[in-house]
Amino acid sequence: MQWTRRAPTLQTLKTLKTLMASLALAGLAACGGGGSDSPTPPPADGRKSVDGTVAGLAAGQRVVLQNQGADDYAVGTNGPFVTAASWPLGSSYAISVKTQPTGQQCTVAQGTGTLGTAPTAVRVDCVTLAAGYTLGGTVSGVPGGQSVVLGGAGGEELTVAADGGFTFARPLADGAEYAVTVKTAPAGSGCVVRNGAGAVAAAAVDTVAVRCAPLAALPQGAWEQDNCQPTPGGGVRTLWNFAGGTGTSSLGAGVGTVTYRSDQCNGVGVAAQGELSRSFSFHQDRAEANAEFSAFWGRRQTFPGGFLAPPAWSQVVLVRKANHLCLLEDSGPPSAFPNVASLAADVNAAIAAGRCYTPR
């Protein structure tokens, strides 16, 4: 058979051209070509770290990041970062700040998503906080081996395990309001706070006074009345200084004053002993307590005409409630308050009126 050579048609040439172009592209791909628009191949082990950038971090500081509340990762410089830990592709991530740099506040942007082959591009931006002012004061009456838990501004808590000064860790801005409270008192004790609320006035606050004392015992030491009486130069409160007598059921009380420069009796007051004729003694006859009150019935001896004149006697009840000490006049005998429960209304009214005392 004899073959006849024919010229290629136009359609055949087009088909060959398309085939050669396809083979050329396949060759480039096999040699690693294809350009920057090619998708990033997945990691060989199917896992990926989280990457991003940090900006604004002060020199010598570091911010500790977490993913889903775990896998701490500390960053100490500005610029790109890649977490040391990695997670399976397709898992979700949520980057947060665990530990802030000292004097700075860092926030996270684009911190959540699903791990894929593309960069996560998390942003951590840090700013320097304005200079703040400390909040603190003094604590007294904490029994050995125990502590008092204080509440400060913004929900901050501070545990104080001994008498002396205290300072909350978080600084406050000028004008910030604060209110110090007793979150947990030592077992068997009551604690009260003086000068515990106010606003920062461009200076550190160090006049908060927390005073604790045993609840089920007769008072000892200095006790200051809640009521503040304005004076031309500020304010004044009555002061009782208690000391045990010959037995545990008798007390001597020296009466004095505490003067303040503020007409609200804020800040630190100056204590002074008053006239001896204002002193009195208390002699206990009986005691009773429940979950709310500790009460001591007895006789009060006063010296209205001075120590050279005959003393005056009256029936009274000393009552403790959450470290407030109230003195109620009694009509006895028989007593107007037959039991501890009968004291509730009068004690609550005395506390509300500021007639009761708390440890100084």
Side-chain angles (χ1 to χ4, degrees):
M1 179 181 292
Q2 184 176 359
W3 295 93
T4 303
R5 182 185 299 270
R6 294 183 179 180
T9 65
L10 181 61
Q11 181 62 38
T12 302
L13 292 175
K14 287 183 178 180
T15 302
L16 290 172
K17 185 176 180 181
T18 301
L19 178 61
M20 292 176 67
S22 300
L23 290 173
L25 288 174
L28 285 173
C31 295
S36 59
D37 292 334
S38 299
T40 303
D45 60 356
R47 299 176 66 86
K48 190 176 186 304
S49 300
V50 173
D51 57 90
T53 57
V54 172
L57 186 65
Q61 297 295 326
R62 71 173 194 165
V63 57
V64 179
L65 306 177
Q66 286 187 321
N67 180 27
Q68 303 282 16
D71 296 313
D72 294 6
Y73 183 70
V75 182
T77 58
N78 291 313
F81 72 86
V82 178
T83 59
S86 62
W87 301 271
L89 290 173
S91 61
S92 61
Y93 63 91
I95 303 301
S96 60
V97 175
K98 177 185 179 183
T99 305
Q100 298 283 0
T102 303
Q104 290 195 293
Q105 183 78 26
C106 299
T107 56
V108 177
Q110 299 176 189
T112 61
T114 301
L115 287 172
T117 57
T120 52
V122 175
R123 294 203 324 268
V124 180
D125 297 306
C126 303
V127 295
T128 300
L129 298 174
Y133 301 94
T134 56
L135 171 63
T138 57
V139 170
S140 66
V142 179
Q146 296 197 50
S147 61
V148 56
V149 180
L150 306 178
E156 185 178 5
E157 292 189 359
L158 177 66
T159 300
V160 182
D163 291 356
F166 70 89
T167 303
F168 285 98
R170 182 182 302 166
L172 302 179
D174 184 24
E177 296 184 349
Y178 61 88
V180 178
T181 60
V182 175
K183 304 286 287 187
T184 306
S189 296
C191 302
V192 293
V193 180
R194 288 194 184 278
N195 308 324
V200 177
V205 178
D206 59 3
T207 56
V208 180
V210 181
R211 302 295 180 253
C212 304
L215 288 174
L218 285 169
Q220 295 288 333
W223 291 67
E224 189 175 343
Q225 192 174 39
D226 291 338
N227 188 34
C228 176
Q229 296 290 337
T231 64
V236 62
R237 286 186 172 126
T238 301
L239 178 69
W240 286 351
N241 281 297
F242 289 101
T246 56
T248 58
S249 61
S250 64
L251 289 171
V255 180
T257 58
V258 183
T259 57
Y260 294 85
R261 293 182 178 179
S262 162
D263 60 4
Q264 300 295 316
C265 292
N266 294 325
V268 179
V270 178
Q273 185 65 46
E275 298 178 6
L276 291 177
S277 61
R278 299 178 62 199
S279 299
F280 66 91
S281 60
F282 173 79
H283 303 269
Q284 178 184 325
D285 294 329
R286 66 185 179 94
E288 185 181 336
N290 61 15
E292 189 175 12
F293 303 104
S294 295
F296 309 89
W297 286 260
R299 294 155 292 145
R300 178 177 59 172
Q301 183 185 38
T302 58
F303 305 89
F307 283 98
L308 297 180
W313 292 86
S314 60
Q315 295 294 126
V316 296
V317 187
L318 286 174
V319 187
R320 301 284 304 278
K321 178 184 178 180
N323 213 23
H324 278 93
L325 173 68
C326 307
L327 188 148
L328 303 181
E329 299 289 343
D330 200 358
S331 61
S335 173
F337 308 103
N339 52 51
V340 68
S342 65
L343 294 160
D346 290 74
V347 171
N348 292 331
I351 292 175
R355 296 195 302 269
C356 297
Y357 292 70
T358 53
R360 175 169 168 73

